Amino acid sequence: MPAIGITGGISTGKSTFCQCLREILPDAKFFDADAVARQLVDLEEVKEALRAQFGPAIFLPNGDLNREALRTIIFQDEAKKSALEKILHPRIRRQWSIEADRHRKTPEFFFADIPLLYETGGETLCDRVVVVACSPDIQLANLMRRMEIERRAAETMIKSQMPLEEKIKKAAHVGWNNGERSVLASEAKNLVALWRQEKWTND
């Protein structure tokens, strides 16, 4: 069965789209790059790499990573953002590519939820890519509400990513998240029906 990449922009609805897929395909396997990244930063070897690159100020007194401090740094400094990606993304890519290869031999779909899929060249490991998109004003409002930040900070975070328009042009499919959740769920259902007709299925 295929490995399908799910990507988009920050706060465009990737997680919601994946939830819809889980409801339609309860036996499908999912890889969550953000969750893996949160686990990786707790590993001692990764902490050492982060300390060498960013200094001790990004750690709390108990030794845990101060995620908010690190987030502030990387969204204000493109070079620092790139440095963080070089530490984390090879490890993330290695893990999810192994899982994708393993699940291609099973009868279940495999979905990789990877925000920086195109930025890291991860699309080459996917049979299909879905970009979950929404209009700029909805994306901005979603991000401000979710992270409880001001408009300027939200705009900076959005601009630090590859433009959504570029991702849409590269994708095999686009899931539009401008309306109710039920609309996005319907799009997910239609895509699953399409994928089930593809040559990789045995139905």
Side-chain angles (χ1 to χ4, degrees), residues 11-129:
S11 290
T12 59
K14 296 181 299 299
S15 297
T16 302
F17 184 76
C18 286
Q19 289 170 4
C20 295
L21 289 173
R22 289 177 188 275
E23 292 166 8
I24 301 165
L25 298 167
D27 293 328
K29 307 302 179 184
F30 287 81
F31 178 87
D32 185 338
D34 281 344
V36 172
R38 288 193 291 270
Q39 295 166 5
L40 283 174
V41 297
D42 289 330
L43 297 178
E44 198 55 42
E45 67 172 84
V46 176
K47 283 185 177 182
E48 287 302 317
L50 292 173
R51 189 174 288 108
Q53 181 61 235
F54 298 95
I58 64 166
F59 290 93
L60 298 168
N62 65 359
D64 289 343
L65 179 68
N66 186 331
R67 298 170 193 270
E68 186 174 338
L70 180 59
R71 186 184 300 118
T72 300
I73 291 171
I74 64 171
F75 281 116
Q76 293 178 347
D77 188 327
E78 186 63 32
K80 291 294 187 183
K81 180 172 177 282
S82 178
L84 176 65
E85 290 170 359
K86 287 178 180 177
I87 293 171
L88 294 180
H89 287 292
R91 292 174 168 88
I92 294 172
R93 183 187 178 102
R94 184 162 55 247
Q95 186 169 331
W96 86 264
S97 63
I98 290 171
E99 291 192 26
D101 286 341
R102 183 168 68 247
H103 288 299
R104 277 194 176 97
K105 301 167 187 171
T106 72
E108 289 88 24
F109 282 91
F110 175 79
F111 297 99
D113 178 359
I114 304 180
L116 300 181
L117 183 72
Y118 286 118
E119 291 89 334
T120 58
E123 73 274 13
T124 59
L125 301 175
C126 300
D127 297 290
R128 296 287 188 280
V129 174

